[in-house]
Amino acid sequence: MAEQSTDLKAIMRRDERHRKMLNDPDLTGDLLLFALGLDEVIATRQAQGRKTSGKSWMTAITRLVSGDEGYRRYWAKHVVERDVPRYEPSKSRGRGCIAPMIRREGLCGQPGSTHVLDLDPMTGEGAEGYLCARHRGLEAKYLALKRQWHANGEPSPSANTGGVLRRYFNADWDGIYRWASPWREPLEGGREATPPRPTLRLIQGEGEVSS
């Protein structure tokens, strides 16, 4: 009876984890498919008394989600690589020129063609932007900031993207991330959790579906 109670608690915990995964706006597409596959592989191996260690579980996940371990052989590795905790500069919301105007307040705003990175050489924080043909000469300023950042040892702020998988699974994620992306060192932190999607509730009778 105690064993059945333990099994029921484990099933309930797993069901709750699945609900959180499916309602996590940061966990979508292949990343969600990978997470659900990993959860199933862990549960199956635990039921069989086997450890989830080494890299064989990556093959098991690929086989589970595709039916063929040879299909998209490096799919699982690529999914993990895209989840490496890292810092990414804020993206430009358009291609308007970011050069400050002299005779009026604000930015130029004309269509830009030259991509630049406005980088803080002391912290590594940055924001992408564009310069129009008229203000292309300002590109030298941003290149100088990048050279200064290199001279300062390339400081990096905390991660602001990636790290979603380690919200749900305890593992040596630093080691796993290094395996998936040897050229990039996983940073502390990760993408700040987005509030879960609103849940829909079905009202019986003449009511409506509402959040």
Short mmCIF file of all heavy atoms in Angstrom, two decimals, residues 139-161:
data_model
loop_
_atom_site.label_atom_id
_atom_site.label_comp_id
_atom_site.label_asym_id
_atom_site.label_seq_id
_atom_site.Cartn_x
_atom_site.Cartn_y
_atom_site.Cartn_z
N GLU A 139 30.18 54.95 -36.97
CA GLU A 139 30.51 53.53 -36.74
C GLU A 139 31.84 53.39 -36.02
O GLU A 139 32.03 52.50 -35.19
CB GLU A 139 30.55 52.78 -38.07
CG GLU A 139 30.84 51.29 -37.91
CD GLU A 139 30.93 50.57 -39.24
OE1 GLU A 139 30.99 51.26 -40.29
OE2 GLU A 139 30.96 49.33 -39.24
N ALA A 140 32.79 54.30 -36.30
CA ALA A 140 34.10 54.24 -35.66
C ALA A 140 33.99 54.32 -34.14
O ALA A 140 34.76 53.69 -33.40
CB ALA A 140 35.00 55.36 -36.18
N LYS A 141 33.02 55.09 -33.67
CA LYS A 141 32.81 55.23 -32.22
C LYS A 141 32.45 53.88 -31.60
O LYS A 141 33.00 53.50 -30.55
CB LYS A 141 31.68 56.23 -31.96
CG LYS A 141 31.10 56.19 -30.57
CD LYS A 141 29.82 57.02 -30.48
CE LYS A 141 29.10 56.78 -29.16
NZ LYS A 141 27.81 57.51 -29.09
N TYR A 142 31.57 53.13 -32.24
CA TYR A 142 31.13 51.84 -31.70
C TYR A 142 32.22 50.77 -31.83
O TYR A 142 32.34 49.90 -30.96
CB TYR A 142 29.85 51.40 -32.40
CG TYR A 142 28.70 52.36 -32.17
CD1 TYR A 142 28.31 53.27 -33.16
CD2 TYR A 142 28.05 52.41 -30.95
CE1 TYR A 142 27.28 54.17 -32.93
CE2 TYR A 142 27.01 53.31 -30.72
CZ TYR A 142 26.64 54.19 -31.71
OH TYR A 142 25.63 55.09 -31.48
N LEU A 143 33.02 50.85 -32.89
CA LEU A 143 34.15 49.92 -33.03
C LEU A 143 35.19 50.19 -31.94
O LEU A 143 35.81 49.25 -31.41
CB LEU A 143 34.77 50.07 -34.41
CG LEU A 143 33.91 49.62 -35.59
CD1 LEU A 143 34.61 49.91 -36.91
CD2 LEU A 143 33.56 48.14 -35.47
N ALA A 144 35.37 51.46 -31.57
CA ALA A 144 36.31 51.81 -30.50
C ALA A 144 35.83 51.26 -29.16
O ALA A 144 36.63 50.79 -28.33
CB ALA A 144 36.47 53.33 -30.42
N LEU A 145 34.52 51.30 -28.92
CA LEU A 145 33.97 50.74 -27.69
C LEU A 145 34.24 49.24 -27.61
O LEU A 145 34.57 48.71 -26.55
CB LEU A 145 32.47 51.02 -27.62
CG LEU A 145 32.04 52.47 -27.38
CD1 LEU A 145 30.52 52.58 -27.48
CD2 LEU A 145 32.53 52.95 -26.02
N LYS A 146 34.12 48.56 -28.76
CA LYS A 146 34.37 47.12 -28.78
C LYS A 146 35.84 46.82 -28.51
O LYS A 146 36.17 45.87 -27.79
CB LYS A 146 33.93 46.53 -30.12
CG LYS A 146 33.98 45.02 -30.14
CD LYS A 146 33.35 44.46 -31.41
CE LYS A 146 33.30 42.94 -31.36
NZ LYS A 146 32.66 42.37 -32.59
N ARG A 147 36.74 47.61 -29.07
CA ARG A 147 38.17 47.40 -28.81
C ARG A 147 38.49 47.63 -27.33
O ARG A 147 39.28 46.89 -26.73
CB ARG A 147 39.00 48.36 -29.68
CG ARG A 147 39.02 47.98 -31.15
CD ARG A 147 40.12 48.74 -31.89
NE ARG A 147 39.89 50.17 -31.88
CZ ARG A 147 39.20 50.83 -32.82
NH1 ARG A 147 38.66 50.15 -33.84
NH2 ARG A 147 39.04 52.13 -32.75
N GLN A 148 37.85 48.62 -26.73
CA GLN A 148 38.06 48.89 -25.30
C GLN A 148 37.53 47.73 -24.46
O GLN A 148 38.12 47.35 -23.46
CB GLN A 148 37.37 50.19 -24.91
CG GLN A 148 37.71 50.65 -23.48
CD GLN A 148 37.08 51.99 -23.15
OE1 GLN A 148 36.58 52.69 -24.03
NE2 GLN A 148 37.10 52.35 -21.88
N TRP A 149 36.39 47.17 -24.89
CA TRP A 149 35.82 46.00 -24.19
C TRP A 149 36.80 44.82 -24.24
O TRP A 149 37.01 44.14 -23.24
CB TRP A 149 34.48 45.64 -24.84
CG TRP A 149 33.85 44.38 -24.35
CD1 TRP A 149 33.29 44.17 -23.13
CD2 TRP A 149 33.71 43.16 -25.08
NE1 TRP A 149 32.80 42.88 -23.04
CE2 TRP A 149 33.04 42.24 -24.24
CE3 TRP A 149 34.07 42.76 -26.36
CZ2 TRP A 149 32.74 40.94 -24.63
CZ3 TRP A 149 33.76 41.46 -26.76
CH2 TRP A 149 33.12 40.57 -25.91
N HIS A 150 37.40 44.58 -25.41
CA HIS A 150 38.41 43.52 -25.53
C HIS A 150 39.59 43.80 -24.60
O HIS A 150 40.09 42.89 -23.91
CB HIS A 150 38.92 43.43 -26.97
CG HIS A 150 38.00 42.69 -27.89
ND1 HIS A 150 37.67 41.35 -27.72
CD2 HIS A 150 37.33 43.09 -29.00
CE1 HIS A 150 36.84 40.97 -28.68
NE2 HIS A 150 36.61 42.00 -29.47
N ALA A 151 40.03 45.05 -24.56
CA ALA A 151 41.17 45.41 -23.71
C ALA A 151 40.86 45.22 -22.23
O ALA A 151 41.76 44.96 -21.43
CB ALA A 151 41.58 46.86 -23.98
N ASN A 152 39.59 45.33 -21.86
CA ASN A 152 39.18 45.17 -20.46
C ASN A 152 38.98 43.71 -20.08
O ASN A 152 38.51 43.41 -18.96
CB ASN A 152 37.88 45.94 -20.21
CG ASN A 152 38.09 47.44 -20.22
OD1 ASN A 152 39.21 47.92 -20.07
ND2 ASN A 152 37.02 48.19 -20.43
N GLY A 153 39.29 42.79 -20.99
CA GLY A 153 39.13 41.36 -20.68
C GLY A 153 37.79 40.80 -21.04
O GLY A 153 37.41 39.74 -20.56
N GLU A 154 37.04 41.52 -21.87
CA GLU A 154 35.73 41.07 -22.35
C GLU A 154 34.78 40.71 -21.20
O GLU A 154 34.29 39.60 -21.09
CB GLU A 154 35.88 39.88 -23.30
CG GLU A 154 36.72 40.19 -24.51
CD GLU A 154 36.79 39.03 -25.49
OE1 GLU A 154 36.13 38.01 -25.24
OE2 GLU A 154 37.54 39.15 -26.49
N PRO A 155 34.54 41.67 -20.29
CA PRO A 155 33.60 41.39 -19.19
C PRO A 155 32.22 41.05 -19.72
O PRO A 155 31.79 41.57 -20.76
CB PRO A 155 33.58 42.71 -18.41
CG PRO A 155 34.00 43.75 -19.40
CD PRO A 155 34.99 43.07 -20.29
N SER A 156 31.53 40.17 -19.00
CA SER A 156 30.19 39.75 -19.44
C SER A 156 29.20 39.88 -18.29
O SER A 156 29.50 39.46 -17.16
CB SER A 156 30.22 38.30 -19.93
OG SER A 156 28.91 37.86 -20.25
N PRO A 157 28.05 40.43 -18.55
CA PRO A 157 26.99 40.46 -17.51
C PRO A 157 26.40 39.08 -17.34
O PRO A 157 26.76 38.13 -18.05
CB PRO A 157 25.97 41.45 -18.09
CG PRO A 157 26.22 41.47 -19.55
CD PRO A 157 27.65 41.10 -19.78
N SER A 158 25.51 38.95 -16.39
CA SER A 158 24.84 37.66 -16.17
C SER A 158 24.01 37.29 -17.39
O SER A 158 23.61 38.15 -18.18
CB SER A 158 23.94 37.74 -14.94
OG SER A 158 24.70 38.01 -13.78
N ALA A 159 23.76 36.01 -17.52
CA ALA A 159 22.97 35.52 -18.65
C ALA A 159 21.57 36.10 -18.62
O ALA A 159 20.97 36.28 -17.56
CB ALA A 159 22.90 33.99 -18.61
N ASN A 160 21.06 36.42 -19.79
CA ASN A 160 19.68 36.90 -19.90
C ASN A 160 18.86 36.05 -20.87
O ASN A 160 17.71 36.37 -21.16
CB ASN A 160 19.64 38.37 -20.34
CG ASN A 160 20.27 38.59 -21.72
OD1 ASN A 160 20.74 37.66 -22.36
ND2 ASN A 160 20.27 39.83 -22.17
N THR A 161 19.45 34.96 -21.34
CA THR A 161 18.70 34.03 -22.18
C THR A 161 19.27 32.63 -21.98
O THR A 161 20.40 32.46 -21.50
CB THR A 161 18.78 34.43 -23.67
OG1 THR A 161 17.86 33.67 -24.43
CG2 THR A 161 20.18 34.20 -24.23
#
